Amino acid sequence: MIIKTILIEQGLLYTERTFKSGFNLVFSKKNSTGKTTLLRCVLYGLGYNIPGTKNFRMETTSIELVLEKDDNSELVLKRKKPDYIELLKGEEQYSYALPTQLSELHEKLFGTRNVDILNNLLGAFYADQEKGWTLLNRGKVIAGIRFNINELIRGLSDRNCDNLILKKRKVEESLKKHRHILNIAEYRDKIVVDQNSLTGLNYDSERLLKIDQLKVERDTLKKEIKRLNNLMKSNRKTIELIEGMKLVIQLNTGENVCVTSDMIVGANDCIELLKAKKKTLIPQMNEVLKELEKLQLAVKNEEQQQSFFETESLADSFDKKMSTIDIFPEDVKSIIGKLEGEKRLLTKQISDFTNNNNSVTQTMIKTVQKYMAELEVPDAEKISWRYLFTSNLKELSGAILHNTVFSFRLAYILEIEKALGIKLPIILDSPKGKEIDGLNIDKMMQILKRDFPDNQIIVASIYHYVEKENIVLMQEHLLDKFRQSV
């Protein structure tokens, strides 16, 4: 695929740049003239979610990209909004919502439906000036776009282990949750161990429990006093009722006598007994009310005091709740250990499924060895296929890492082209790092000219690298033309 032209518009400002097949150098004599921005605009025009550079906002930019596919057919991409892009192929026109339909767009551009390949294409053919020259086999290409060699190799060898990957993802999510739980459990233990916090918590709990007990005692006494009052009232009414009836009784002597309250045996004694019982309850009630009021006042004063220290109050409340949770660090650590073991097992199963008897892995490592040796990376011939998946980048110095990354990228490109039957553009932003000497850069560029003669190569730099390069000259600003308003 060849990128032929790009039209970039922002308001009344615009620029139109032309690229050719072969080696293209986006060149300026000094930095900060828009070289990186131009490369990012190309990628943005291909549908990628690429951020702008300082003072250049992609979301306000309209881009039209003209491409030539390997079969000489021409495609036009128009991206006038961040979330929408059009593809024109002759009389045919397609529209895609971004980023949800990015894979469908790239299926048209690169001729494959394999998502594992499509998701990792950018990390193969583009090296960003910020992270690109340290991205070896997995990590961030630019912004939120990532590269993963495991996915790429599975895509290139048409191997699918979605079930294992899904299981591993669920285990990783569970691990993340349990590590948060462990933090909570350890914090809870710290609260309990802290003697001052523990004493305060026990004191508060006992005080609240005492208040509840006093309320129950108060209500019981109140109910009993009310019952005694009702009994005394009932007895008095009964006596008054008997007197009011003017009952007359006949004695054994035949004498008629009018019944009075004095004649009712034990009536007054019963009332006096009830009074005495009530009299013993009143001091108990007063004592309970006095203690209850004292405790309730203490609680109220503390609440008022806490209102002046809202942050402290929230923390204290949180600590109190945390202390009641029955989570113990050792139990959580045991679960985490099992999950980590399960993750290791799934990782190994995925790796074995990806690489066992895989010709793509074997061919790729041979290509890497070849270019690393040519770039004089030490012990290149000794590395095995497992080195493709290394995570140990600390042992690689700046120059060695730079050359190793370059070798990996070329291996990725060759395997992708073999699988898809296409030629990818190779886009490199500022390949000359601080620790890379001119000889190393010359070797890298000569490899590109020699082994990738049919690929379009676009390099942004302030240095010249090869003869007969097509120079895309950058002056002061990227947008160098002014469109007259109609």
Side-chain angles (χ1 to χ4, degrees), residues 286-409:
N286 290 337
E287 191 64 32
V288 168
L289 291 175
K290 184 179 178 181
E291 191 174 355
L292 181 60
E293 183 181 7
K294 180 181 177 182
L295 290 173
Q296 287 177 328
L297 182 62
V299 171
K300 184 178 180 180
N301 288 337
E302 189 172 290
E303 288 176 349
Q304 289 176 343
Q305 195 175 25
Q306 287 177 345
S307 67
F308 291 103
F309 303 99
E310 193 172 45
T311 303
E312 183 180 349
S313 173
L314 179 62
D316 289 343
S317 176
F318 179 77
D319 285 352
K320 291 173 186 176
K321 291 178 181 178
M322 285 297 301
S323 67
T324 63
I325 299 175
D326 291 331
I327 303 176
F328 302 99
E330 292 308 315
D331 295 338
V332 183
K333 287 178 182 177
S334 176
I335 296 172
I336 289 175
K338 292 176 182 177
L339 288 171
E340 287 176 339
E342 190 175 348
K343 179 184 174 182
R344 284 193 297 270
L345 178 60
L346 287 167
T347 300
K348 184 178 184 305
Q349 289 175 343
I350 292 170
S351 178
D352 291 344
F353 180 86
T354 301
N355 298 298
N356 283 352
N357 300 316
N358 193 331
S359 60
V360 172
T361 305
Q362 300 302 323
T363 306
M364 189 177 287
I365 193 60
K366 288 179 181 177
T367 305
V368 169
Q369 287 175 322
K370 169 188 170 184
Y371 289 124
M372 285 176 64
E374 188 169 348
L375 293 170
E376 299 182 3
V377 176
D379 300 323
E381 70 284 354
K382 295 180 181 179
I383 63 174
S384 70
W385 64 268
R386 295 186 184 278
Y387 190 75
L388 291 172
F389 311 96
T390 182
S391 299
N392 185 14
L393 302 185
K394 294 180 181 179
E395 64 184 14
L396 302 178
S397 67
I400 292 174
L401 177 60
H402 199 99
N403 289 332
T404 303
V405 167
F406 183 72
S407 301
F408 271 58
R409 291 296 173 85

Side-chain angles (χ1 to χ4, degrees), residues 48-291:
Y48 288 106
N49 186 23
I50 301 294
T53 52
K54 186 178 180 181
N55 301 324
F56 191 94
R57 297 173 58 195
M58 285 294 184
E59 59 269 24
T60 64
T61 305
S62 172
I63 291 179
E64 182 175 311
L65 206 60
V66 179
L67 310 174
E68 183 181 301
K69 295 192 72 175
D70 293 356
D71 60 2
N72 296 324
S73 62
E74 191 171 272
L75 303 177
V76 179
L77 289 168
K78 294 183 179 181
R79 188 173 184 180
K80 297 183 178 181
K81 296 179 180 180
D83 57 354
Y84 180 79
I85 192 168
E86 291 182 351
L87 170 64
L88 283 69
K89 183 179 180 181
E91 299 297 323
E92 301 175 24
Q93 182 173 334
Y94 307 89
S95 300
Y96 302 94
L98 299 175
T100 53
Q101 292 183 300
L102 181 62
S103 292
E104 295 176 35
L105 168 65
H106 287 173
E107 178 188 334
K108 291 284 187 184
L109 297 182
F110 301 107
T112 180
R113 292 184 178 181
N114 192 305
V115 177
D116 283 334
I117 296 177
L118 292 176
N119 286 346
N120 292 282
L121 278 177
L122 187 62
F125 71 75
Y126 169 69
D128 182 58
Q129 67 170 346
E130 294 178 4
K131 297 182 181 295
W133 296 100
T134 58
L135 173 61
L136 190 65
N137 48 22
R138 60 180 73 85
K140 194 174 290 186
V141 181
I142 184 173
I145 303 171
R146 303 189 71 84
F147 177 85
N148 187 295
I149 189 174
N150 302 76
E151 290 180 6
L152 178 61
I153 288 177
R154 283 196 297 274
L156 294 173
S157 53
D158 199 22
R159 296 187 177 189
N160 186 301
C161 59
D162 287 348
N163 290 336
L164 288 173
I165 292 171
L166 181 60
K167 285 181 182 178
K168 183 183 176 185
R169 191 174 295 131
K170 288 181 178 179
V171 169
E172 288 172 339
E173 289 173 359
S174 185
L175 260 174
K176 187 183 294 185
K177 291 178 183 177
H178 279 86
R179 283 175 180 141
H180 286 307
I181 293 171
L182 177 61
N183 290 336
I184 293 171
E186 290 175 341
Y187 181 71
R188 183 257 184 199
D189 266 15
K190 182 178 180 299
I191 295 170
V192 174
V193 170
D194 189 330
Q195 189 61 40
N196 293 330
S197 297
L198 184 61
T199 303
L201 289 170
N202 283 343
Y203 174 70
D204 289 343
S205 300
E206 289 174 5
R207 183 169 58 186
L208 293 173
L209 180 61
K210 185 63 176 176
I211 288 174
D212 289 338
Q213 290 172 343
L214 288 170
K215 286 181 178 179
V216 171
E217 192 174 346
R218 177 200 63 187
D219 294 341
T220 302
L221 287 168
K222 189 184 291 185
K223 187 176 180 181
E224 181 61 17
I225 291 170
K226 184 178 180 181
R227 187 183 73 83
L228 294 173
N229 285 334
N230 288 336
L231 283 174
M232 287 188 287
K233 185 177 180 181
S234 178
N235 285 348
R236 289 193 186 98
K237 282 187 176 181
T238 301
I239 293 171
E240 290 173 359
L241 178 63
I242 292 173
E243 284 187 331
M245 290 175 68
K246 305 297 183 180
L247 296 175
V248 177
I249 60 174
Q250 189 177 48
L251 301 177
N252 291 334
T253 60
E255 182 184 1
N256 291 330
V257 179
C258 184
V259 178
T260 64
S261 60
D262 296 337
M263 298 172 67
I264 301 173
V265 178
N268 289 326
D269 292 341
C270 182
I271 291 174
E272 290 301 320
L273 180 63
L274 292 173
K275 284 183 179 179
K277 192 172 182 180
K278 175 184 174 183
K279 192 173 182 180
T280 62
L281 295 179
I282 295 299
Q284 293 181 44
M285 172 67 86
N286 290 337
E287 191 64 32
V288 168
L289 291 175
K290 184 179 178 181
E291 191 174 355

